[in-house]
Amino acid sequence: MIKACVIGWPISHSRSPIIHGYWLQKHGIEGAYTREPVEPERLAAFLGSLVQNGYAGCNVTLPHKETTFGLVKPADEATRLLGAVNTVYVRDGAILGTNTDGEGFINSLKAGAPELEIKGSRAIVLGAGGAALAIVNALLTNGAAEIVVINRSAGKSSALCERFGARVTSADWSLRSELLDDCDLLVNTTSLGMKGQPELDIDLHRLDSKAVVTDIVYTPLRTALLNDAARRGNRVVEGLGMLLHQAVRGFELWFGTRPSVTTELHDLVARDIDPEYGK
Ligand SMILES: NC(=O)c1ccc[n+]([C@@H]2O[C@H](COP(=O)([O-])OP(=O)(O)OC[C@H]3O[C@@H](n4cnc5c(N)ncnc54)[C@H](OP(=O)(O)O)[C@@H]3O)[C@@H](O)[C@H]2O)c1
């Protein structure tokens, strides 16, 4: 029996067990994927005893992503740059860590907006937190020509830009509606619009009708930003896609089979988020 889990503090909200449980069943793999609450003081001990406790690895969520980076061996250059780990796995006795948020974002975008040519595109990224860093890096890796990062705290957006070359610039939060001309892709990576948080206040009237709009917030499934954009006729991509696609690599690393993000899986998780979904 192969075992994996998701660790965080708290962890009861995590939907990863639904995703991996679905794939385990789909592929007839004798495995288990559980939620493990791990207090910050116990993180190092938990990771240190992964093998001893029979785990092939784990997902890592708040508040452990950055601390885990310092406790495992970064598996690739992108993870080193991000300084945060969301997927841990064991290879030849070593505990390795990687970050799959960037590929989750890109693969969700490719699935939800196949007509979007990321190569050569101009993107606007709202927010400059951990998710924004992974997304900016992934967009650059996929050939985006220009990325403007707009964040409430200007110091954080300029610090993010300094990590990349001239293709990434920052702009003041007050300009978020004005800079939408010539934008091919608008991404919300702030927590605004999330259940229990204030709405994202942005006026989309300058946005080209061909621009793609995506929000990585997935509670609710359709944020006000996405509803607004869809009403104007823009293609929208929901945040749930990123959550599902970021899980693919972990499953492959632990259980040895690359799973697919199916409509059935999407609907299963969507119903967990919103019991009214599809009714
Ligand atoms: N779909 C997925 O798979 C996925 C993956 C990762 C994250 N997420 C979601 O993405 C969101 C961001 O995650 P994160 O890890 O990047 O968080 P984070 O590092 O805490 O960053 C939060 C961002 O939101 C901004 N923000 C928060 N409150 C704001 C407000 N009232 N007005 C303007 N900006 C505000 C922050 O701006 P300041 O710098 O000014 O504070 C910062 O840019 C969360 O909702 C998370 O659940 C989704």
Coordinates of all heavy atoms in Angstrom, one line a residue, residues 1 11 35 63 85 107 135 141 158 196 208 214 228 256 270:
M1 N 0.8 -1.2 0.0 CA 0.0 0.0 0.0 C 0.9 1.3 0.0 O 1.7 1.4 0.9 CB -0.9 -0.1 1.3 CG -1.4 1.3 1.8 SD -2.9 1.8 1.1 CE -4.0 1.0 2.3
I11 N -5.8 21.9 8.5 CA -5.8 21.1 7.3 C -7.2 20.6 6.9 O -7.4 20.1 5.8 CB -4.8 20.0 7.3 CG1 -4.5 19.4 6.0 CG2 -5.2 18.9 8.3 CD1 -3.9 20.4 5.0
R35 N -5.4 13.5 5.1 CA -5.1 14.8 5.7 C -4.3 14.6 7.0 O -4.8 13.9 7.8 CB -6.3 15.6 6.0 CG -7.1 16.1 4.9 CD -8.3 17.0 5.5 NE -9.2 17.3 4.4 CZ -10.3 16.6 4.1 NH1 -10.6 15.6 4.8 NH2 -11.0 17.0 3.1
P63 N 0.6 26.7 6.8 CA 1.6 27.8 6.6 C 3.0 27.2 6.3 O 4.0 27.9 6.6 CB 1.6 28.5 7.9 CG 1.4 27.3 8.9 CD 0.5 26.3 8.2
V85 N 7.7 25.1 -1.4 CA 7.4 23.8 -1.8 C 6.0 23.4 -1.6 O 5.5 23.6 -0.5 CB 8.4 22.8 -1.1 CG1 7.9 21.4 -1.1 CG2 9.8 22.9 -1.7
N107 N -1.3 24.6 -17.2 CA -2.1 23.6 -17.8 C -3.6 23.8 -17.7 O -4.4 23.5 -18.6 CB -1.7 22.2 -17.2 CG -0.3 21.8 -17.6 OD1 0.1 22.2 -18.7 ND2 0.3 20.9 -16.9
I135 N 3.3 32.0 -10.7 CA 2.6 32.3 -12.0 C 3.4 33.2 -12.9 O 3.5 32.9 -14.1 CB 1.2 32.9 -11.7 CG1 0.3 31.8 -11.1 CG2 0.6 33.5 -12.9 CD1 -1.1 32.2 -10.6
T141 N 8.5 31.5 -18.4 CA 9.0 30.2 -18.9 C 8.3 29.8 -20.2 O 8.8 29.2 -21.1 CB 8.9 29.1 -17.9 OG1 9.5 29.6 -16.7 CG2 9.6 27.8 -18.3
S158 N 7.4 45.5 -6.5 CA 8.7 45.8 -7.1 C 9.7 44.8 -6.7 O 10.6 44.5 -7.5 CB 9.2 47.3 -6.8 OG 8.8 47.6 -5.5
G196 N -15.7 35.4 2.1 CA -15.3 36.0 3.4 C -14.3 37.2 3.2 O -14.0 37.8 4.2
D208 N -9.8 44.2 -23.9 CA -10.2 43.8 -25.3 C -11.1 42.5 -25.1 O -10.9 41.7 -24.2 CB -8.9 43.3 -26.0 CG -9.2 43.1 -27.5 OD1 -9.6 41.9 -27.8 OD2 -9.0 44.0 -28.3
T214 N -8.6 35.1 -15.9 CA -8.6 34.0 -15.0 C -8.4 34.5 -13.5 O -7.7 35.5 -13.3 CB -7.5 32.9 -15.4 OG1 -7.6 31.8 -14.5 CG2 -6.1 33.5 -15.4
D228 N -18.2 39.1 -14.3 CA -18.1 40.4 -15.0 C -17.5 40.2 -16.4 O -18.0 40.7 -17.4 CB -17.2 41.3 -14.2 CG -17.7 42.6 -13.8 OD1 -19.0 42.6 -13.7 OD2 -16.9 43.5 -13.6
G256 N 3.2 6.6 -9.4 CA 3.7 6.1 -10.6 C 2.9 6.1 -11.8 O 3.2 5.5 -12.9
A270 N -16.1 20.4 -7.6 CA -17.0 21.6 -7.6 C -18.2 21.4 -6.7 O -18.6 22.4 -6.0 CB -17.4 21.9 -9.1

